[in-house]
Amino acid sequence: LVEGQLFFATWIHLWINLCLGITIMLLWPWMSHHIIKACLFPGHNNQDSSVVWRWHLLFNVLTALGMAVTTATVGLMGAFALVFIPAWISFQIAQNWHMCLVVSVGIGLVGYVLAFVTALLLDQPFGPVLVVCLLVLGMIASVGMHLGTVGKRR
């Protein structure tokens, strides 16, 4: 950490991540409701289509900003691993959409902390260690799901 081996983040990265995270957490209840409703019932908002595109645009802008800031903080591999691998794992485990979001965030946090500690202890670059930790969590989840369903008959 002192030698800059883990990642090259400054206080500006921290503040931008905090502001973006708080903004997303505050807007998510309204934004997700409108986006999911527009995807599941596309003809429902035909009379007021001007509102729907605003929610989609806001979601796309926040996603692009999140990916840009995350890429600048943890690197390209780590950013994409944090987006795809926890979602892939939670899709296998979770029973519904809300639980999928909660499990995905939890897996991302566990993988991030595990990678941070591992990279610090082994003096390795953070991005690749993050990818490896998330892939290991994915393999553990896949094996756990396979072992949990092997003995069950429908």
Side-chain angles (χ1 to χ4, degrees):
L1 182 62
V2 174
E3 297 172 3
Q5 184 70 14
L6 290 175
F7 53 84
F8 301 99
T10 63
W11 288 103
I12 294 172
H13 291 105
L14 174 66
W15 289 113
I16 291 173
N17 277 314
L18 285 175
C19 291
L20 187 61
I22 290 169
T23 303
I24 290 171
M25 285 191 300
L26 291 175
L27 292 176
W28 184 251
W30 295 284
M31 190 169 47
S32 67
H33 171 74
H34 290 289
I35 290 173
I36 291 172
K37 188 169 76 171
C39 289
L40 294 177
F41 305 108
H44 184 66
N45 288 328
N46 281 342
Q47 293 84 12
D48 196 15
S49 62
S50 64
V51 175
V52 175
W53 74 266
R54 291 179 186 157
W55 288 108
H56 283 281
L57 178 64
L58 179 63
F59 177 77
N60 291 338
V61 167
L62 289 174
T63 302
L65 282 173
M67 286 304 297
V69 171
T70 306
T71 301
T73 305
V74 298
L76 187 64
M77 283 192 313
F80 278 96
L82 275 173
V83 169
F84 291 114
I85 296 174
W88 169 66
I89 296 169
S90 64
F91 184 74
Q92 295 178 25
I93 297 171
Q95 301 295 323
N96 57 40
W97 175 249
H98 179 70
M99 186 58 69
C100 191
L101 292 174
V102 171
V103 170
S104 182
V105 169
I107 291 170
L109 286 172
V110 168
Y112 191 94
V113 170
L114 182 66
F116 187 85
V117 170
T118 304
L120 190 61
L121 291 175
L122 299 178
D123 193 30
Q124 295 296 313
F126 178 71
V129 173
L130 176 62
V131 173
V132 168
C133 287
L134 289 172
L135 286 173
V136 167
L137 288 174
M139 286 188 284
I140 291 170
S142 293
V143 168
M145 289 293 293
H146 179 70
L147 291 176
T149 59
V150 167
K152 296 180 182 178
R153 302 260 181 204
R154 289 186 176 181

